[in-house]
């Protein structure tokens, strides 16, 4: 059994989440990109649910397909990308929906925040202008009501002196404060779902902890479903109800956060957990890392995609790709091993 990092100790107990209404239903999602070297499959037959008020953590190394799943969901794929399968938001199919119609759902009902807020904020417009515009456009509010509501949101994400600072430009805020502004904008219309893609990666550890705490509080206060996309299992430990682990475009393990942390059942998940820094212990030892690199998606190995990096690999892994199979309620893995 893998030692559990301290942060995981604050994770919520397995909730009766399966009984909550579904906000997002993704079934058989495939995302492919045309490149000069040929077609690349970035997301391979991915299915999952996000339910009201729950937080789902999606974890994997860069190139695992975790961000492309949500770029597909939001209709934000690059021009050479295409997604097939089914994505239902509140029972309405949104995959392939005309951009104008999809725009009405994005922003008002589902929002996304990214690693670097400067890429999403307009440097030439005051924060006030960028916030009020959202409310005028999506909610039909008048300017003064929109500004009042915007100040309330900045207060909620704990921007000090919100009334004064709303007149400032993005560059006048620190990195952590800019991320708070982005969260405030994303939550302005009280969306059913907030997708946060590496929201704390660009921040130092203290500010990272503050942003995660803020998201935890907002989840409780607003009952917004949160999808947290990250390469760092430590980030999702205290915030997520369920975890999906992705590798080379596939979900390789899924389960409640405690199950994933206390009893990983896929060698890749175990490797991610072992490579997390720990606060316990006195000896200074080098942090173990998963050997090798994520595979080139155009030249995947035969059998299991994780085989070249897996310490448990055996003959079958070379010839047969493991299918995802249920190993308990809400728990599944794609590995030939019965147990670790
Ligand atoms: Fe390792 Fe084989 Fe499991 Fe793949 S199927 S993760 S190679 S044991």
């Amino acid at each position: 059994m893998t030692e559990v990092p301290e942060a995981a100790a604050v994770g919520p107990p397995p909730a009766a989440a399966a009984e909550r209404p579904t906000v997002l239903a993704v079934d058989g999602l495939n995302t492919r990109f045309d490149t000069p070297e040929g077609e690349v499959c970035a997301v391979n037959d991915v299915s999952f649910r996000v339910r009201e008020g729950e937080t789902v953590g999606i974890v994997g190394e860069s190139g695992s397909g975790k961000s492309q799943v949500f770029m597909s969901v939001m209709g934000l794929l690059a021009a050479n990308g295409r997604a097939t399968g089914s994505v239902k938001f509140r029972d309405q199919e949104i995959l392939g929906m005309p951009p104008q119609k999809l725009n009405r759902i994005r922003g008002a009902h589902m929002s996304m925040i990214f690693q670097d807020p400067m890429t999403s904020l307009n440097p030439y417009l005051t924060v006030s202008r960028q916030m009020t515009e959202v409310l005028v456009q999506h909610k039909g509010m008048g300017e003064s009501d929109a500004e009042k509501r915007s100040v309330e949101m900045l207060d909620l994400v704990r921007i000090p002196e919100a009334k004064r600072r709303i007149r400032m430009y993005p560059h006048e805020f620190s990195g952590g404060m800019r991320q708070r502004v982005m969260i405030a904008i994303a939550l302005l219309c009280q969306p059913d779902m907030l997708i946060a893609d590496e929201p704390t990666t660009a921040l130092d550890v203290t500010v990272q902890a503050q942003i995660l705490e803020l998201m935890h509080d907002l989840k409780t206060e607003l009952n917004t479903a949160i999808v947290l996309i990250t390469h760092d299992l430590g980030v999702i430990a205290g915030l997520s109800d369920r975890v999906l682990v992705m590798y080379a475009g596939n979900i390789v393990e899924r389960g409640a956060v405690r199950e994933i942390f206390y009893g990983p059942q896929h060698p890749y998940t175990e490797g991610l957990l072992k490579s997390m820094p720990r606060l316990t212990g006195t000896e200074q030892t080098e942090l173990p890392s998963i050997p090798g690199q994520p595979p080139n998606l155009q030249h995947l190995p035969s059998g299991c995609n994780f085989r070249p990096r897996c310490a448990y690999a055996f003959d079958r892994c070379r010839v047969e790709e493991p299918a995802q199979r249920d190993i308990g309620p809400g728990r599944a893995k794609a590995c030939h091993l019965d147990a670790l």
Side-chain angles (χ1 to χ4, degrees), residues 33 42 73 78 131 151 175 178 191-192 204 213 227 300 333:
F33 291 92
V73 165
M131 292 186 84
V151 171
R178 276 200 292 267
D192 296 323
D204 69 48
E213 193 191 317
V227 176
L300 289 171
K333 71 168 175 179

Side-chain angles (χ1 to χ4, degrees), residues 265-268 303-314 316-318 320-322 333-337 340:
Q265 285 302 313
H266 192 285
Y268 179 57
C304 174
N305 292 332
F306 189 57
R307 177 176 52 80
R309 306 174 73 187
C310 181
Y312 300 89
F314 57 108
R316 188 179 170 195
C317 309
R318 186 177 299 279
E320 191 185 329
E321 190 177 345
K333 71 168 175 179
C335 172
H336 295 312
L337 291 173
L340 281 190

Side-chain angles (χ1 to χ4, degrees), residues 221-301:
E221 281 169 48
L222 304 176
N223 199 34
T224 308
I226 297 176
V227 176
L228 192 53
I229 305 167
T230 177
H231 65 282
D232 181 355
L233 262 175
V235 164
I236 60 175
L239 199 59
S240 300
D241 301 295
R242 290 190 297 121
V243 180
L244 308 178
V245 182
M246 285 196 71
Y247 189 77
N250 298 282
I251 294 176
V252 294
E253 184 166 4
R254 68 172 82 215
V257 70
R258 279 173 185 257
E259 295 168 335
I260 295 286
F261 276 93
Y262 284 85
Q265 285 302 313
H266 192 285
Y268 179 57
T269 316
E270 185 187 56
L272 288 176
L273 280 165
K274 281 185 175 160
S275 56
M276 279 176 63
R278 293 174 200 294
L279 299 174
T280 50
T282 48
E283 266 179 58
Q284 282 213 335
T285 49
E286 204 178 315
L287 206 55
S289 60
I290 304 172
Q293 298 293 324
N296 177 335
L297 295 176
Q298 276 170 318
H299 303 287
L300 289 171

